[in-house]
Amino acid sequence: MLISQQKRKENIAEYLLYMWQIEDLIRSFDCNIDAIEQKVISQFPAEQQADERQWFEGLITMMELEGKKKSGHLQVNTNILLLLAELHQQLLGSDKFPEYGAEFYRTLPIIVDLRARSQGNQAGELETCFNALYGTLLLKLQGKQLSEGTQKAMQQISRFIAMLSALFKKNEEEPLFEEPEV
């Protein structure tokens, strides 16, 4: 919980990838809080364990209620992706952030290639980037080697997502765009 709160404040992309990892961790324990407590929560300092258990229980409840026990992402995590997509569109539509648009268009061919390879996948541009980053993370955790081409592609995606994350943080601290009048 404390890790997620810190990541949420500092880097929204790291937060989202962390939360996807937590979803998979919970699934790996078949949503069993006692098993999670024994193997995961017990590794935290004693004074933090009750809060961690409560946090994991809340996530398990959400996964059960949302039908995400086997796959998919919690709505709260999907909402983060939607917020990022909204900012992404605003940034692309603004002439105040040409470096962002340039970074996106350097990344776009990679996104198009990834989407073509995952036939039938209807993921948006940002979700495609996050799926690629998460997949790469999982491969690294498994000790698998990445080809030079994949490494270069992931470096480009990482630069783009890092720029979006930095602008997201800046936007949360002080909005980059005026709110439309209703």
Side-chain angles (χ1 to χ4, degrees), residues 84 86-98 100-101 163-164 167-168 176-177:
L84 285 167
E86 183 179 319
L87 178 61
H88 168 69
Q89 290 305 318
Q90 288 177 309
L91 292 165
L92 287 179
S94 171
D95 57 0
K96 296 189 321 188
F97 302 94
Y100 179 81
M163 182 178 280
L164 177 59
L167 289 166
F168 184 88
L176 300 174
F177 301 97

Side-chain angles (χ1 to χ4, degrees), residues 22-23 25-27 29-37 41 52-69 74:
I22 292 296
E23 289 170 341
L25 175 75
I26 291 169
R27 287 184 192 108
F29 287 101
D30 200 29
C31 296
N32 181 324
I33 189 62
D34 294 327
I36 293 169
E37 184 169 42
I41 298 170
E52 291 294 335
R53 181 181 170 101
Q54 185 177 10
W55 183 66
F56 273 100
E57 285 176 329
L59 291 173
I60 290 167
T61 299
M62 284 192 278
M63 290 173 78
E64 289 169 347
L65 291 173
E66 294 178 22
K68 305 295 182 185
K69 286 176 65 174
L74 289 169

Side-chain angles (χ1 to χ4, degrees), residues 166-181:
L167 289 166
F168 184 88
K169 183 177 181 184
K170 191 181 278 190
N171 189 54
E172 281 196 324
E173 293 166 356
E174 185 173 329
L176 300 174
F177 301 97
E178 305 248 344
E179 291 292 320
E181 291 187 30

